[in-house]
Amino acid sequence: RRRAARRLARMGNLTPCLSVEGLSEPTDHRRGQGVHAQVRDAMARLRDTGVPFGISMTATRGNCEHLLSDRVLDLYFEEEGAFYAFVFQYMPIGRAPELDLMPAPEQRIPFWERSWEVVRERRLFLRTANPSRAGPAPAPAARSASRAATPPATPGATAAAPASPSSRRSAS
């Protein structure tokens, strides 16, 4: 594992994006027991070898309120050294979608507002995919991996932040 991190460092042109669901408990609940510890170990190896990395988080009904909390952001950006975050809202797709994981309508606007607060006040590189506006697919599984980091073509949207409040109004 350390050898893989050293190879990434030598390449110098890749930045891994590690998936978490917030803190330890929600990550392990959704992705398997011990996964959060493994992800943090990987972050330490990447950091120790000088490889810049980011995080990918999926907002669900159960984690929406804490996903962009100061505690979560401090852990990954301040303590672990993440450079960016991609945040997707869970959208049920496929043959057996889990509808109960989808953020409730009343959770979406506060989540969107908090994402802008994080960008404005904390100056973090945060990219969200908001399914309530035109633009990229709300879940990475809904499009090819080669497009996962492509900025949306929507006017006013940027790769560094969700669509701004002013561009959201003009798109309506």
Side-chain angles (χ1 to χ4, degrees):
R1 294 178 187 188
R2 189 160 304 279
R3 185 172 40 177
R6 286 192 301 265
R7 277 185 55 202
L8 286 171
R10 280 193 309 272
M11 291 173 153
N13 64 349
L14 294 174
T15 173
C17 190
L18 305 165
S19 295
V20 293
E21 304 301 326
L23 299 173
S24 179
E25 185 179 333
T27 299
D28 286 351
H29 176 76
R30 182 140 188 257
R31 298 186 177 272
Q33 192 62 36
V35 168
H36 189 259
Q38 292 173 357
V39 169
R40 291 194 65 191
D41 287 346
M43 289 176 178
R45 286 191 299 276
L46 293 167
R47 186 178 54 252
D48 291 348
T49 55
V51 177
F53 63 89
I55 58 172
S56 174
M57 302 186 288
T58 300
T60 65
R61 187 171 300 195
N63 71 5
C64 210
E65 280 82 16
H66 93 274
L67 205 59
L68 297 178
S69 69
D70 287 335
R71 184 172 173 206
V72 170
L73 298 173
D74 286 348
L75 172 65
Y76 296 114
F77 284 93
E78 303 301 325
E79 292 178 37
E80 295 294 355
F83 281 83
Y84 59 88
F86 292 116
V87 183
F88 302 92
Q89 288 190 32
Y90 176 84
M91 292 298 290
I93 60 171
R95 293 184 179 168
E98 296 182 50
L99 298 176
D100 59 327
L101 289 177
M102 191 169 149
E106 62 272 11
Q107 291 177 304
R108 292 181 189 167
I109 289 178
F111 185 79
W112 176 77
E113 290 171 339
R114 173 62 179 158
S115 69
W116 269 104
E117 181 182 310
V118 167
V119 170
R120 271 192 320 270
E121 295 178 14
R122 295 197 55 166
R123 313 286 297 168
L124 297 178
F125 188 96
L126 177 70
R127 174 67 176 108
T128 65
N130 185 344
S132 64
R133 66 168 174 84
R143 58 188 164 161
S144 71
S146 64
R147 291 186 57 210
T150 303
T154 305
T158 68
S164 70
S166 60
S167 69
R168 182 179 166 96
R169 281 191 293 275
S170 65
S172 301

